[in-house]
Amino acid sequence: MRPDAWSLADIPDQSGRTVLVTGTTVGGLGQFTALELARRGARVVLAGRTAQRLEETRAAITAEVPGAALETLVVDLADLSSVRRAAAEAAGLGPIDVLVNNAGVMGTPYRRTVDGLELQLATNHFGPFLLTGLLLPQLVASGAGCVVAVSSQMHRVARRAPLDDPRSQQGRYRRWPAYAESKLANLLFTYELDRRARRAELPIRALAAHPGFAATHLAANGQYGRARGGRATILDATIKAVSPNRADQGAWPTLMAATADLPGGTYCGPSGFAEWGGTPRVTDSNKLSHDETAQRRLWTLSEEVTGIRYP
């Protein structure tokens, strides 16, 4: 496989591997990530906010892959206590080969979570940070654990890293800059995690990916809390009309990061114009995402907020 010529055919047999994917709602990137991994024999743990949604995803995948090895895990990444409960339940899974931190929200109105955190940063960064840390022993136990963060081209819009007190609002809330900072946080976390794992000689790689511009329900859900009805239907249809990528194609960079023989710290994205769409390739994130001082400061802040200390 050349790093600029990856395709689904390059996914090796996944038999005997356990992969946990967050945010697996039907029609989204997580569902298609889980589908292709299950198709190739992986035991896939579908993680999402409600049992009903998870069962819908299980049914959708099983319809295409009868006999798929699927399990479910209820977790709300915006609620740190929910993350802890889910991680305790996941301890029974045994070693985990791949953790795909795919779940996220986008462009939501201002809202504080039960932990007093801004919703987008809580869901997109602090929840995954805590989940990854709690599952770290199982990733290490696999002997070659892989953590994949799903970021976004929107990280390039962020003017700075989200390093202020996350429990208080600094100035007027602006949903899109807040989203951009949360996606930058995904990359800062990925690069710092990979560096720390190498320094500690842990058998773990951390990689990231972005889907380009994919036809998912994420924008409508973020704006209106739903993908259907009134303006939500119009926005969802517009996204699908102008997107160069179907939702399943948007999952390809994630699948590349999760299954290809790539070094830690690799970032995968589409190869087309402005990385909006196209076949996946190895790409690079912006200069700010590689700021090691910002990486370390966000790590320290995240440990303080979530109460976890990585080994």
Side-chain angles (χ1 to χ4, degrees):
M1 181 210 76
R2 300 200 321 271
D4 59 346
W6 187 92
S7 73
L8 290 180
D10 291 306
I11 300 177
D13 180 29
Q14 299 293 299
S15 299
R17 290 166 63 78
T18 295
V19 183
L20 193 155
V21 183
T22 67
T24 55
T25 303
V26 171
L29 301 176
Q31 182 220 331
F32 291 109
T33 300
L35 170 63
E36 295 304 330
L37 293 168
R39 198 192 303 278
R40 286 155 181 82
R43 171 201 189 196
V44 181
V45 183
L46 308 171
R49 284 183 295 178
T50 69
Q52 178 183 345
R53 288 280 183 89
L54 292 172
E55 288 307 316
E56 290 171 356
T57 303
R58 185 204 291 268
I61 292 176
T62 302
E64 290 200 44
V65 187
L70 303 174
E71 299 192 34
T72 59
L73 181 69
V74 175
V75 58
D76 181 354
L77 289 165
D79 181 343
L80 298 180
S81 63
S82 174
V83 175
R84 294 188 184 93
R85 287 193 298 270
E89 182 179 342
L93 296 171
I96 295 174
D97 297 277
V98 183
L99 168 62
V100 180
N101 286 316
N102 166 77
V105 294
M106 180 172 76
T108 56
Y110 181 68
R111 183 182 137 199
R112 289 275 155 184
T113 69
V114 294
D115 302 293
L117 304 169
E118 187 273 317
L119 177 63
Q120 294 191 86
L121 192 60
T123 307
N124 298 352
H125 171 65
F126 288 123
F129 181 92
L130 177 59
L131 181 64
T132 303
L134 293 172
L135 297 182
L136 197 65
Q138 289 164 264
L139 288 157
V140 170
S142 74
C146 178
V147 179
V148 179
V150 179
S151 185
S152 165
Q153 280 289 72
M154 279 291 289
H155 84 272
R156 300 181 185 280
V157 175
R159 298 294 180 89
R160 61 186 186 85
L163 300 174
D164 293 329
D165 180 357
R167 289 191 170 90
S168 65
Q169 180 58 37
Q170 307 297 317
R172 184 170 63 89
Y173 176 73
R174 295 185 296 166
R175 64 178 72 188
W176 292 112
Y179 175 69
E181 289 184 11
S182 75
K183 294 288 97 180
L184 173 64
N186 294 156
L187 292 161
L188 295 168
F189 170 45
T190 295
Y191 299 145
E192 183 69 7
L193 173 59
D194 192 71
R195 182 170 51 255
R196 287 174 179 246
R198 282 186 280 109
R199 189 173 297 156
E201 298 184 345
L202 297 177
I204 292 176
R205 293 174 299 131
L207 303 90
H210 79 86
F213 189 3
T216 71
H217 303 310
L218 189 61
N221 281 331
Q223 295 295 299
Y224 303 110
R226 62 187 190 281
R228 294 287 180 271
R231 293 181 178 179
T233 298
I234 296 171
L235 177 58
D236 197 54
T238 301
I239 293 293
K240 289 181 178 179
V242 301
S243 171
N245 269 352
R246 302 186 308 270
D248 63 314
Q249 293 173 316
W252 292 353
T254 301
L255 287 162
M256 179 183 181
T259 65
D261 184 14
L262 295 168
T266 297
Y267 188 39
C268 300
S271 59
F273 174 75
E275 298 185 28
W276 276 29
T279 56
R281 67 171 181 180
V282 172
T283 184
D284 197 10
S285 53
N286 69 359
K287 181 178 179 180
L288 181 53
S289 69
H290 292 285
D291 182 335
E292 293 189 13
T293 299
Q295 292 165 9
R296 289 192 295 269
R297 289 181 61 195
L298 179 62
W299 187 280
T300 299
L301 176 65
S302 301
E303 287 192 331
E304 292 172 354
V305 168
T306 63
I308 191 171
R309 293 293 183 270
Y310 280 61

